[in-house]
Amino acid sequence: MTVFYKGGGWEVTHRLVRTPKKSFDVGKIESVSLKRNLFLMCALPSLGLLGLGLSFWRYLYAGEQVALIALPIVVLAVTWQVGTLKVDSLALRDDEGGTIYGRFSRLLQVRRAIEQAMDERREVAS
């Protein structure tokens, strides 16, 4: 049994993808996508607060300046690290859900491992 990735409650083998909450059969997975949805939702409000803080800089107290400048930067930095891994398959029912949230760097490694497992499975089947 080939293990493509293992760590942090995740395991990807040639037959199975185990997450901390769910398990998927590699043979039933059609595609895997990785996105930064939380970052995209927070980007516009954060940039708006940043612009507001920079526009009215001279009228604000020091605490307000720090809040309107530092807070959006921190929010953008933190949300950049969070991602969603979506496993698409016709075999998965809607109530099961194929979306997994986690640290983007780990999800990127898991996605690569799942793609390797899918490629190996296709080669064996051919």
Side-chain angles (χ1 to χ4, degrees):
M1 178 167 78
T2 306
V3 177
F4 295 101
Y5 180 84
K6 186 171 185 170
W10 295 80
E11 184 177 6
V12 179
T13 65
H14 70 283
R15 299 185 72 209
L16 192 63
V17 176
R18 284 194 180 126
T19 71
K21 295 183 178 182
K22 301 174 186 175
S23 295
F24 303 101
D25 183 9
V26 173
K28 294 180 181 179
I29 296 174
E30 295 172 359
S31 67
V32 180
S33 62
L34 185 58
K35 296 180 183 177
R36 286 186 163 111
N37 292 338
L38 186 60
F39 177 79
L40 295 174
M41 289 188 306
C42 293
L44 191 60
S46 295
L47 292 175
L49 280 176
L50 190 61
L52 187 68
L54 293 174
S55 297
F56 295 101
W57 181 265
R58 60 180 170 219
Y59 303 116
L60 302 173
Y61 293 112
E64 294 169 334
Q65 291 171 346
V66 170
L68 286 176
I69 302 301
L71 183 65
I73 292 171
V74 169
V75 167
L76 291 175
V78 169
T79 58
W80 184 255
Q81 301 298 318
V82 178
T84 57
L85 180 76
K86 183 160 174 40
V87 179
D88 293 319
S89 174
L90 293 176
L92 293 174
R93 293 177 290 159
D94 289 338
D95 60 336
E96 290 177 0
T99 302
I100 303 146
Y101 300 91
R103 191 169 179 88
F104 190 83
S105 58
R106 179 173 303 236
L107 294 178
L108 184 61
Q109 294 172 347
V110 170
R111 186 192 74 184
R112 288 178 184 153
I114 292 171
E115 288 172 348
Q116 286 178 342
M118 289 169 59
D119 289 341
E120 183 178 291
R121 196 163 176 98
R122 283 186 203 118
E123 289 174 5
V124 171
S126 305

